[in-house]
Amino acid sequence: MSEAQADSGGARHGFRIDIKSVGPMIALLLLCILGYVLNPAFASEGNLTNILTRSAFIGIIAVGATFVITAGGIDLSVGSMAAVISGVMIITMNSAIDTFGPGLTTVLLGCGCSIILGLGAGMINGLLTTKGKIEAFIVTLGTMGIFRSLVTYFADGGTLALDFGIRSVYRPVYYGDFLGLPIPIWVFICVALVGWFLLNRTTFGRYCTAIGSNEGVAKYSAVNVDRIKTMTYVIQGLCVSLATIIYVPRLGSASASTGVLWELEAIAAVIIGGTVLKGGYGRIGGTVIGALILTTIGNILNLTDLVSNYLNGTMQGLIIIIAVWLQRGPWQKPASSQT
Amino acid sequence: MLDQTGAQAPVLEAANISKSFGSVPVLFSLSMDLRPGEVHALIGENGAGKSTFMKVLAGFHQPTKGRIKLDGREIALPPNGEAEALGVVLIHQELNLAEQMTVEENVFLGREMSRFGVLDRVSMRRAVQRYLDQVGLSISPTDRVSDLSMAEKQMVEIVKAISRDARVLIMDEPTAVLTEVETQMFFDQVNQLKARGVSIMFVSHKLAEVEAIADRITVLRDGHWITTATATDLTTESMAQLMVGRELSDLYPPMNEVDVDAPAVLKVDDLTAPGCDGISFSLRKGEILGFSGLVGSGRSALFQALVGLNPSTAGQITYNGQSFRPTSVAKARDAGIVYLTKDRKEKGLLLGQQMAPNLTLLALSKFSGPLGVDRKAEGAAMTRATRRFDIRAKTNETLVGNLSGGNQQKLLLAKVMEADPQVLIVDEPTRGIDVGTKQQIYHFLAALALEGVSIVVISSEMPEIIGMSHRVVVMREGKIAGTLSGDEISEQEIMRYAAGLKNGSEA
């Protein structure tokens, strides 16, 4: 009995994995075809580069979120974290001009500051969750509010603008090319590759999956659960700081509305990509595609007047729900038949 | 047991039941009947089809072929537990209680009493109190289920069934997680229910219990009906033979004496940790040391402290002649001390993952190189373990949750062995697995001891402790009550220490 069922269970799972890895890819392809049919300008080189560049922010953050979610956590603070990091970066660089002048040193100082803040903020989220034994949802809901109000305070309710002298030095980080591709795309590619390797090929990634599947088993298997979980939040923080570094030169400013709802877009990208929200199974490749899908929807709405651009959120919401429905869709039999 | 039920018409009757999942046949034309007020045991090895058969009898599975009669009338039992309304209740092995709700709320879940649209808590509480009094359970209707012991939870399930006027109670391994004392308490309830005319059918791997409580016994093997006999006609020996279908000689391997001059590998002095207090014992190279005692006597707590799962607050551990402080599981593992948990589903294995990641999880650093985790080495380890431990799965992609209990346990054993332990601590190593797999595990442990690995066996099954151990430590209320060796090791002697009738020497 058990062997027969084991067999069918295995086959069923294999099938589901296939759907999970191929499904998002097919969805993205269909979206691209739809975009091209509605407006051939969609497939122009400029537009495709534009989509990739824009998805880099959410994509980089979502790669970090893949680790947090795979290990059974959640980080709601990433949008606010990006905002407060942008704010502090701008303040730092503006005040460093007096000492170092509007040059590379100042920009590097700002970037260093961003990375330290990202790592620190991630560390705080992680330690409060693990050592403080507070649910990740509550911790990051709290820090989300704190970070958001901090940036409002720093900007005094208005906008923090980067000094024009530095803008010209810093500008290439967003607008510059390397081997024909904009810098943000390169950063995105690197982050995704490193993330894929970490999650799929290292003990750290395996431990994340184990913790997300069953923390008790991980603990009994000599996994330092607290350290690994904290590390996922630190990685998330680092990803946010990298995304911020390429985001700041785009607008050259930060305000209370910077990065609003990024946390939801990042989580959405992760889930659309096939990572399981309750942890234990994560896919970096899926996350990348998830981020591309979200950006592509917005882009198609911009290029056509079929649906109002104001309904962008509606379309994204629908895609998220459909994606998850497809993943645990009707072909999956209830678990009770397996026992 | 007296057979007073012989002449009565059966309550529930199954005739030529066959069941297939897809194209895979699982049950082959099984027939049996359940008489009013009888206790009927269903035994067989893991994978014999017991659970499937029970689910068919309770309506959770529909038979592919065959008929079910209730009170002599042919009936198609409704699915999803709706057969409860007809008085047929299945109590699952994994109990089906809402942990965060109270006893009263659980008993009345889904059919709450109400007055004027508001819950009538007073009446419900009174009713539940009456049921609890009937079964002699000293808990309150307002107790939260999560605060109860396993045995009490089981009783709450039974109370729930009684409150629904169950006439047929089908139980999947009700005693698997109960201690001996709790089991006795459970048997008293069964006898009371029986006296009231309730028919009880249950699965158990503990043959001595089956002999003690059952009126009739049905044996299944590989989905086939083998026999139904009155309990008085069978001995535990003949039951085991019928289940396995071959002569079951040597359940326990021959005992090899430990070398007289074998060094003490592990020496524990006055260890105090949450759940245990002032523990001292020593373990020699190649020795199998049994730890007996009631559940909650601190056996697991002691060894969880020893492998760094819990912090110890006082005491001294000497390992290989050096002072040893287990500050983490990883440190204990690196030193060569590993612990096989008794809770393989919650603490042992990742049920949603394949076998290889489970196998290597404890010793993963061993498989990690400059290019990350070496999947080839993992595959090779999996092949080795499959052969060494006789793990039977259709493919390597099979999810661990879909393996039978016995194969899961062998995988768990393979997992801890990947860490190459010098001291192996196994906690209830054969819980809920069939007799054939038990035998394999016993022989494996004995062979390991012969190679010089020191083994601690924690078990609530006395025959296992007695059949395997060179010496036996009995614990009681967090302390060592006594240590037995040689001819002193007997069930009565262990019970005397475990129950507090005797208190004595230290190991």
Side-chain angles (χ1 to χ4, degrees):
Chain A
M1 176 195 90
S2 50
E3 281 198 6
Q5 285 183 359
D7 188 32
S8 65
R12 195 157 60 229
H13 187 76
F15 177 64
R16 196 172 74 214
I17 294 249
D18 274 345
I19 287 286
K20 268 185 183 165
S21 37
V22 180
M25 201 98 81
I26 294 174
L28 180 59
L29 238 127
L30 289 178
L31 268 178
C32 289
I33 293 169
L34 181 75
Y36 179 74
V37 170
L38 290 177
N39 186 346
F42 175 84
S44 70
E45 195 193 323
N47 188 51
L48 291 181
T49 322
N50 176 33
I51 290 179
L52 286 171
T53 314
R54 281 178 174 247
S55 47
F57 308 121
I58 292 304
I60 291 169
I61 294 175
V63 167
T66 310
F67 284 93
V68 174
I69 293 174
T70 301
I74 190 91
D75 192 342
L76 300 174
S77 69
V78 292
S80 308
M81 198 193 287
V84 77
I85 292 177
S86 321
V88 177
M89 265 181 92
I90 290 172
I91 294 172
T92 310
M93 288 189 281
N94 284 350
S95 43
I97 293 179
D98 299 338
T99 330
F100 301 105
L104 192 61
T105 321
T106 307
V107 173
L108 286 177
L109 195 70
C111 295
C113 163
S114 163
I115 287 174
I116 291 168
L117 283 175
L119 294 175
M123 182 77 90
I124 290 172
N125 280 338
L127 290 179
L128 284 174
T129 312
T130 54
K131 299 294 178 200
K133 301 198 189 314
I134 310 170
E135 284 86 349
F137 189 93
I138 303 297
V139 168
T140 58
L141 191 64
T143 50
M144 173 171 102
I146 294 168
F147 295 153
R148 180 63 63 195
S149 81
L150 279 180
V151 71
T152 317
Y153 173 75
F154 291 147
D156 208 8
T159 303
L160 286 161
L162 189 57
D163 186 276
F164 275 94
I166 307 170
R167 279 194 199 192
S168 53
V169 183
Y170 198 175
R171 207 182 127 84
V173 172
Y174 181 80
Y175 294 97
D177 279 14
F178 178 69
L179 297 178
L181 277 184
I183 304 288
I185 300 179
W186 283 111
V187 178
F188 186 20
I189 291 173
C190 291
V191 168
L193 284 178
V194 172
W196 180 87
F197 180 77
L198 264 182
L199 187 61
N200 294 292
R201 288 288 180 268
T202 64
T203 53
F204 171 74
R206 190 66 71 78
Y207 289 158
C208 289
T209 313
I211 292 170
S213 302
N214 187 333
E215 226 177 285
V217 173
K219 185 180 160 208
Y220 274 66
S221 304
V223 177
N224 190 333
V225 174
D226 284 356
R227 185 197 295 161
I228 300 286
K229 276 170 82 173
T230 307
M231 279 298 294
T232 61
Y233 290 96
V234 172
I235 289 175
Q236 172 74 88
L238 180 64
C239 287
V240 171
S241 70
L242 289 176
T244 311
I245 288 172
I246 54 172
Y247 178 76
V248 167
R250 181 179 164 210
L251 296 179
S253 67
S255 70
S257 59
T258 302
V260 166
L261 290 185
W262 279 12
E263 58 280 344
L264 293 188
E265 284 196 40
I267 293 168
V270 173
I271 301 307
I272 291 172
T275 296
V276 177
L277 183 57
K278 67 179 178 4
Y281 180 76
R283 295 188 61 241
I284 297 288
T287 298
V288 170
I289 294 190
L292 290 177
I293 287 177
L294 287 180
T295 322
T296 307
I297 296 168
N299 182 261
I300 292 175
L301 294 186
N302 270 334
L303 289 181
T304 61
D305 42 14
L306 199 64
V307 181
S308 161
N309 195 21
Y310 295 130
L311 287 176
N312 188 359
T314 307
M315 299 314 289
Q316 288 190 351
L318 282 174
I319 291 281
I320 295 166
I321 293 169
I322 292 170
V324 173
W325 178 74
L326 283 177
Q327 277 165 25
R328 44 189 97 139
W331 50 73
Q332 272 203 54
K333 289 188 182 168
S336 65
S337 66
Q338 293 185 9
T339 47
Chain B
M1 221 49 24
L2 287 176
D3 185 18
Q4 337 106 308
T5 55
Q8 282 170 285
V11 194
L12 188 66
E13 200 180 348
N16 304 318
I17 297 288
S18 297
K19 173 74 188 167
S20 307
F21 289 107
S23 62
V24 185
V26 176
L27 301 179
F28 302 87
S29 194
L30 301 179
S31 301
M32 71 160 282
D33 61 308
L34 193 60
R35 298 166 187 162
E38 111 169 304
V39 177
H40 198 130
L42 188 63
I43 61 175
E45 289 193 280
N46 283 341
K50 302 174 306 259
S51 297
T52 312
F53 189 42
M54 291 191 136
K55 283 180 185 161
V56 169
L57 288 180
F60 283 87
H61 290 324
Q62 294 305 316
T64 315
K65 263 191 226 133
R67 286 163 295 129
I68 292 175
K69 285 184 187 172
L70 188 66
D71 298 320
R73 269 191 318 242
E74 193 172 325
I75 189 169
L77 289 171
N80 299 327
E82 287 158 35
E84 281 189 7
L86 300 166
V88 180
V89 178
L90 173 68
I91 298 182
H92 297 268
Q93 195 176 356
E94 285 85 22
L95 299 177
N96 208 355
L97 296 171
E99 291 270 326
Q100 293 306 322
M101 294 173 82
T102 64
V103 173
E104 165 218 321
E105 286 164 346
N106 265 287
V107 170
F108 278 97
L109 194 60
R111 32 168 218 130
E112 287 79 2
M113 295 181 183
S114 61
R115 278 174 51 161
F116 314 119
V118 180
L119 288 180
D120 185 1
R121 290 193 164 258
V122 179
S123 304
M124 286 196 281
R125 201 160 298 164
R126 212 180 292 132
V128 171
Q129 189 62 57
R130 202 168 57 238
Y131 293 127
L132 291 174
D133 292 343
Q134 267 175 29
V135 298
L137 196 56
S138 60
I139 57 173
S140 156
T142 52
D143 284 346
R144 210 161 284 283
V145 166
S146 54
D147 296 335
L148 303 179
S149 73
M150 271 318 283
E152 287 166 337
K153 287 182 192 173
Q154 191 114 44
M155 294 302 176
V156 172
E157 278 278 16
I158 292 173
V159 163
K160 201 168 135 188
I162 300 171
S163 76
R164 280 155 212 232
D165 293 320
R167 292 178 301 145
V168 176
L169 205 53
I170 304 176
M171 290 186 273
D172 197 357
E173 289 204 59
T175 60
V177 289
L178 302 190
T179 62
E180 306 233 347
V181 175
E182 289 173 335
T183 303
Q184 204 46 56
M185 197 166 118
F186 170 73
F187 282 175
D188 293 343
Q189 304 313 322
V190 167
N191 281 324
Q192 274 194 34
L193 290 173
K194 195 175 137 175
R196 291 170 47 190
V198 178
S199 309
I200 293 159
M201 183 169 142
F202 74 104
V203 163
S204 178
H205 283 295
K206 301 183 180 174
L207 300 182
E209 290 176 5
V210 170
E211 192 179 33
I213 189 92
D215 296 314
R216 288 196 301 159
I217 297 168
T218 292
V219 184
L220 301 186
R221 190 198 307 150
D222 300 329
H224 294 273
W225 176 87
I226 301 300
T227 187
T228 299
T230 40
T232 42
D233 295 342
L234 292 176
T235 62
T236 51
E237 197 63 30
S238 56
M239 282 184 233
Q241 266 177 38
L242 285 167
M243 280 163 59
V244 182
R246 59 188 148 88
E247 199 76 28
L248 237 192
S249 59
D250 308 330
L251 180 56
Y252 299 102
M255 188 94 67
N256 289 289
E257 285 309 314
V258 187
D259 269 348
V260 262
D261 52 351
V265 175
L266 185 70
K267 204 166 169 323
V268 173
D269 291 301
D270 256 333
L271 188 73
T272 299
C276 63
D277 179 20
I279 303 291
S280 303
F281 70 92
S282 73
L283 179 66
R284 287 192 292 168
K285 188 173 162 65
E287 183 180 31
I288 300 182
L289 183 61
F291 264 76
S292 191
L294 306 175
V295 168
S297 60
R299 297 167 305 173
S300 301
L302 163 62
F303 287 100
Q304 281 167 3
L306 202 66
V307 296
L309 280 162
N310 287 327
S312 52
T313 49
Q316 179 78 31
I317 300 167
T318 316
Y319 178 62
N320 283 335
Q322 287 179 334
S323 172
F324 176 66
R325 277 198 70 78
T327 44
S328 72
V329 185
K331 192 177 168 197
R333 173 202 62 194
D334 294 341
I337 305 178
V338 299
Y339 171 76
L340 181 141
T341 170
K342 61 185 162 186
D343 191 353
R344 67 171 168 262
K345 290 192 173 163
E346 283 303 317
K347 305 280 180 349
L349 296 170
L350 301 170
L351 301 180
Q353 309 261 345
Q354 298 176 0
M355 292 195 292
N358 269 290
L359 177 73
T360 57
L361 189 58
L362 179 63
L364 195 57
S365 41
K366 202 172 86 178
F367 295 90
S368 181
L371 289 174
V373 176
D374 185 348
R375 299 193 161 195
K376 263 201 196 121
E378 276 191 297
M382 193 62 234
T383 313
R384 261 198 321 274
T386 310
R387 211 175 317 128
R388 186 178 180 195
F389 294 92
D390 185 33
I391 299 167
R392 292 181 202 167
K394 258 295 192 304
T395 69
N396 276 343
E397 281 78 50
T398 302
L399 296 192
V400 168
N402 290 329
L403 294 177
S404 73
N407 281 314
Q408 285 180 357
Q409 190 68 16
K410 287 193 265 188
L411 178 63
L412 183 56
L413 191 57
K415 171 184 164 182
V416 297
M417 287 310 297
E418 279 299 324
D420 296 322
Q422 280 185 56
V423 174
L424 173 64
I425 300 151
V426 292
D427 199 347
E428 306 287 359
T430 64
R431 171 176 283 175
I433 64 178
D434 64 85
V435 79
T437 309
K438 275 187 184 180
Q439 189 185 26
Q440 285 180 317
I441 288 179
Y442 295 146
H443 281 259
F444 177 79
L445 291 177
L448 211 57
L450 208 56
E451 287 169 23
V453 177
S454 308
I455 299 173
V456 170
V457 177
I458 306 171
S459 176
S460 298
E461 286 189 45
M462 291 264 206
E464 185 166 290
I465 288 280
I466 296 166
M468 290 295 296
S469 314
H470 295 114
R471 287 187 301 146
V472 176
V473 176
V474 187
M475 286 188 69
R476 186 173 169 273
E477 292 176 353
K479 292 188 162 73
I480 289 184
T483 304
L484 309 170
S485 57
D487 294 339
E488 295 171 310
I489 303 178
S490 73
E491 213 156 310
Q492 290 80 357
E493 202 60 14
I494 293 176
M495 248 355 261
R496 256 176 231 139
Y497 282 110
L501 303 175
K502 233 178 144 176
N503 225 324
S505 60
E506 301 221 317

